[in-house]
Amino acid sequence: MTDAVLDRLFRRADLTRALEEHFGSCRTWSLRMQAASSQLETLKDLMGSAAYSTFMQCAGRAVDRKETAESQLLTMHRDYLDRELYKHYGRELSETIKVAWAVTFAITLLLNDQEYAHTIKAAVQADQDSTVSPSPA
């Protein structure tokens, strides 16, 4: 196997492990949860690690802000995530960020508020856990 394939497998394992901490064994996940997990894995593959990490940090902050405001989920996605993205990227969002926004919006339609919040937080944690510092030469 190539290093790229191995990296991809390890990233998926990190996300699965992080989601299992809250939702239990992936073998018992609902189809909705399986779809959400797959969408996040695909999103990281499409965006690349650096862009995905930055986007997910914005999504994680949006979830945190939404939880303190206790607003409805769709409002969170339109308002809180938009605010975080505009703060980081400015008003002109790239095609990559627009696609990421749409994918995470689709996840809000699959999951309830709490599931969505836990999923985004798990994805952020998994991404942080999978970031490996380069070893000294």
Side-chain angles (χ1 to χ4, degrees):
M1 276 193 231
T2 66
D3 287 345
V5 172
L6 286 173
D7 287 346
R8 189 174 183 192
L9 289 173
F10 286 130
R11 280 196 318 265
R12 287 177 185 231
D14 289 337
L15 178 59
T16 299
R17 208 171 8 260
L19 289 169
E20 283 180 332
E21 286 180 21
H22 183 76
F23 297 105
S25 171
C26 63
R27 293 177 185 193
T28 63
W29 290 351
S30 68
L31 183 58
R32 296 174 305 103
M33 180 51 62
Q34 291 175 48
S37 176
S38 292
Q39 288 302 303
L40 289 170
E41 291 168 356
T42 300
L43 189 59
K44 189 166 188 174
D45 290 341
L46 289 171
M47 294 180 78
S49 292
Y52 175 84
S53 292
T54 303
F55 178 84
M56 291 310 297
Q57 290 169 7
C58 289
R61 285 192 301 271
V63 165
D64 290 341
R65 291 188 199 289
K66 186 262 181 197
E67 287 178 338
T68 59
E70 295 186 22
S71 65
Q72 292 182 339
L73 187 59
L74 293 177
T75 301
M76 185 284 301
H77 203 78
R78 281 193 299 258
D79 296 339
Y80 291 94
L81 183 56
D82 285 355
R83 280 185 222 141
E84 290 300 322
L85 294 176
Y86 293 150
K87 277 184 207 174
H88 186 80
Y89 297 104
R91 285 280 185 206
E92 294 298 318
L93 300 177
S94 69
E95 181 180 33
T96 301
I97 300 308
K98 289 176 183 178
V99 168
W101 187 95
V103 169
T104 54
F105 181 75
I107 293 171
T108 68
L109 301 175
L110 290 169
L111 306 176
N112 68 37
D113 288 7
Q114 289 180 331
E115 291 169 333
Y116 178 81
H118 289 300
T119 298
I120 295 300
K121 288 178 180 184
V124 170
Q125 184 61 49
D127 185 61
Q128 291 171 348
D129 292 347
S130 70
T131 304
V132 179
S133 301
S135 57

